[in-house]
Amino acid sequence: MTKESRTAVGFEEGRTGGAKWFNDLTRSRFAGPVTPHHRVLSRSVSPETLAVHAGTYEDPVTGAVGTPVFQTSTFLLDEASYAAFSDGTSRDVPIYTRYGNPSQWSVQEKIAALEGSRSALVTSSGMSAIASTVYALTNAGSHIISAYDAYGGTYNLLREDMPSAGREVTFVDPTDLDAIEAAVRPETQLLFFETLTNPLLKAPSIRRIARIAKEANALLVVDNTFLSPVNMRPLDLGADVVVHSATKYLGGHSDLTAGAVVGRRKFLDRIWAQALRFGGTLEPLTAFLLERGLKTLPLRMRAQNENAREIARYLAGHPEIVAVHHPEIGGDRYADLERADYAGYGGMVSFEVRGGDAAALAFMKKLSIPYVATSLGGVESLVSMPSNTSHSSLTARQRAQIGINPGLVRFSVGIENARDLIRDLDNALGTPDEAAPDKNVPGEAVSQENVPDEKDMR
């Protein structure tokens, strides 16, 4: 932490009145952190190129074209290390892996480049990233505004931990701009919203919420997990900080757990210091896996965007589906959607099966391609029911108030062939007109013999 940051830690103890205290952080900061061997590309390069090349550590000894795994807990101390301790710049020098590691810096630079920012931080999980950010950007006596249907971990952090830490929280409908504006107080320091909500895929206007935050002299933090920087870059729309559960689309292969925070360096330095105190370090091997996964992010998102769009359209025309939640289908919920802000809507589709929870459970058991499992964003399709997983702690009445109706299924669409997935859905739902088994299935028909048997998929 810089000397200046140390003097700002209390940011005038007890002071409220929005985020004015950040104006006192005036030290010129580097981008990164990176070493001279990390590849730093212009942010004007396409996402596909940034995903492959940004942040790559070009090893001066071996000439390896891939980033090595710096599997070490500590580094040799030298004059640069001592100067970093003295000057408060230890985030920029390899000293100890909890402070920073070249493996972490590679993936951080790649994520920052994709989000169009100068700095990023990776942590051990999405919740580590969220908790570090919320604690770092608020203080006792402050006020936070968020959504009552935010991700369960975020909601529990804000509802259970913030009051005991001296922060008050107001929960609103994220698409109700009037309610957000009405919730603002003189002591509001932070607004925390998601680009798409879980599991109903509400799409708040990040651009308009950013204006509300700016007028309130508060900071806007946006969880971009569901869209990824390929589909939306919230910093371009006025957000101050972006967080991710990198476990999902950024990693993309359901084989790691990580979090990420992106934004201006003066915010990230403070969040980094908070993450140090929480101990949410991303270990080097996971950083390597995350960087490797990110190289294909634009390609994977393109496939998942298209697959989810096809599946949403198919489900919207099926008689056994009561409702479909996806921006592509439209409806009143998306009437004011600023579609120019989206390059796509991700791989998530939620829908309600006729007959309620029992019918939805029976439907999922009949699927042969998607796995019945929690999480999302991987190359494989996953299905789950919020009522018995992410929102099982709520009463039926509470779920109804949020809009989680009986029979709701959340489908994380992977990169498989869309025709295969749709035929599998059709078989599991049952086709009323057995004489037309390809009804609502777009594109070339796929013979049943080419659909893998369930025992081969599990």
Side-chain angles (χ1 to χ4, degrees):
M1 186 184 298
T2 65
K3 290 180 179 178
E4 180 184 4
S5 295
R6 286 196 293 270
T7 63
V9 164
F11 38 94
E12 299 181 22
E13 196 66 36
R15 177 181 176 179
T16 58
K20 294 178 181 177
W21 57 275
F22 266 118
N23 294 332
D24 297 331
L25 302 180
T26 56
R27 175 179 67 81
S28 176
R29 289 167 168 80
F30 301 108
V34 291
T35 72
H37 306 301
H38 283 97
R39 198 169 193 184
V40 178
L41 300 184
S42 167
R43 298 320 194 229
S44 63
V45 176
S46 70
E48 291 81 2
T49 301
L50 290 172
V52 173
H53 293 290
T56 299
Y57 185 94
E58 298 174 330
D59 185 53
V61 176
T62 66
V65 298
T67 300
V69 181
F70 290 87
Q71 194 67 46
T72 181
S73 61
T74 192
F75 299 83
L76 292 174
L77 296 176
D78 57 16
E79 292 304 318
S81 310
Y82 298 132
F85 279 120
S86 176
D87 298 338
T89 59
S90 54
R91 190 182 173 210
D92 292 287
V93 178
I95 297 172
Y96 185 62
T97 285
R98 185 163 62 89
Y99 292 7
N101 178 298
S103 294
Q104 298 167 4
W105 296 347
S106 287
V107 70
Q108 287 174 179
E109 173 63 18
K110 195 180 296 293
I111 294 172
L114 288 166
E115 285 283 7
S117 182
R118 289 172 56 82
S119 188
L121 171 71
V122 287
T123 65
S124 57
S125 69
M127 278 310 305
S128 175
I130 291 167
S132 297
T133 298
V134 172
Y135 271 96
L137 301 186
T138 60
N139 69 304
S142 65
H143 174 243
I144 300 168
I145 303 171
S146 190
Y148 58 71
D149 52 353
Y151 167 66
T154 302
Y155 179 77
N156 289 333
L157 171 75
L158 296 176
R159 186 187 67 177
E160 303 294 337
D161 293 273
M162 289 299 101
S164 62
R167 284 90 159 156
E168 290 191 42
V169 183
T170 298
F171 296 100
V172 298
D173 183 331
T175 62
D176 188 340
L177 296 172
D178 291 337
I180 297 172
E181 198 161 15
V184 172
R185 305 176 187 174
E187 63 271 24
T188 300
Q189 286 187 340
L190 189 72
L191 281 70
F192 190 109
F193 290 97
E194 300 163 341
T195 48
L196 283 180
T197 68
N198 176 35
L200 297 177
L201 304 187
K202 294 180 182 177
S205 173
I206 300 304
R207 187 184 296 274
R208 297 181 191 179
I209 295 174
R211 287 200 288 265
I212 294 173
K214 185 175 182 180
E215 291 172 2
N217 199 32
L219 299 176
L220 173 60
V221 175
V222 174
D223 185 332
N224 197 25
T225 298
F226 268 40
L227 287 183
S228 88
V230 174
N231 287 324
M232 178 183 282
R233 301 208 311 188
L235 298 175
D236 292 346
L237 304 179
D240 297 289
V241 173
V242 171
V243 296
H244 286 272
S245 172
T247 311
K248 313 304 193 300
Y249 287 109
L250 298 190
H253 292 78
S254 302
D255 59 2
L256 61 87
T257 302
V261 190
V262 191
R264 294 169 64 187
R265 181 72 191 256
K266 71 177 181 180
F267 300 140
L268 267 292
D269 279 358
R270 186 170 182 81
I271 297 166
W272 167 78
Q274 184 69 62
L276 287 187
R277 293 191 288 273
F278 282 161
T281 303
L282 187 67
E283 56 91 21
L285 183 57
T286 304
F288 165 80
L289 290 172
L290 179 54
E291 190 205 359
R292 185 177 66 172
L294 277 161
K295 291 181 180 182
T296 59
L297 176 64
L299 305 181
R300 289 186 282 107
M301 290 307 306
R302 190 178 305 143
Q304 287 168 297
N305 287 343
E306 180 61 28
N307 281 356
R309 179 164 50 245
E310 292 296 330
I311 287 170
R313 290 172 177 171
Y314 158 76
L315 291 168
H318 199 286
E320 294 304 308
I321 300 300
V322 177
V324 178
H325 306 281
H326 188 275
E328 186 69 27
I329 301 305
D332 293 341
R333 172 177 294 175
Y334 303 108
D336 297 326
L337 191 68
E338 294 167 318
R339 295 187 181 271
D341 292 341
Y342 300 79
Y345 302 111
M348 303 303 298
V349 182
S350 292
F351 54 95
E352 298 166 23
V353 178
R354 189 178 303 281
D357 289 346
L361 280 169
F363 152 75
M364 290 195 301
K365 289 179 180 179
K366 294 177 183 177
L367 291 169
S368 63
I369 297 178
Y371 291 103
V372 179
T374 59
S375 198
L376 59 105
V379 292
E380 65 286 299
S381 292
L382 305 175
V383 291
S384 63
M385 290 177 58
S387 64
N388 61 16
T389 55
S390 59
H391 293 74
S392 59
S393 63
L394 302 182
T395 66
R397 181 178 179 180
Q398 288 172 324
R399 287 196 292 269
Q401 288 175 334
I402 293 175
I404 299 175
N405 296 323
L408 183 70
V409 174
R410 194 188 73 174
F411 192 166
S412 172
V413 183
I415 65 170
E416 304 96 339
N417 185 284
R419 295 192 300 272
D420 293 341
L421 292 172
I422 291 173
R423 180 173 293 279
D424 194 26
L425 288 168
D426 207 53
N427 290 337
L429 287 168
T431 306
D433 183 3
E434 296 296 340
D438 295 325
K439 181 180 179 181
N440 293 326
V441 181
E444 180 182 349
V446 180
S447 64
Q448 183 62 34
E449 63 186 27
N450 291 330
V451 178
D453 185 80
E454 182 173 1
K455 65 177 180 291
D456 296 325
M457 298 300 299
R458 298 302 172 123

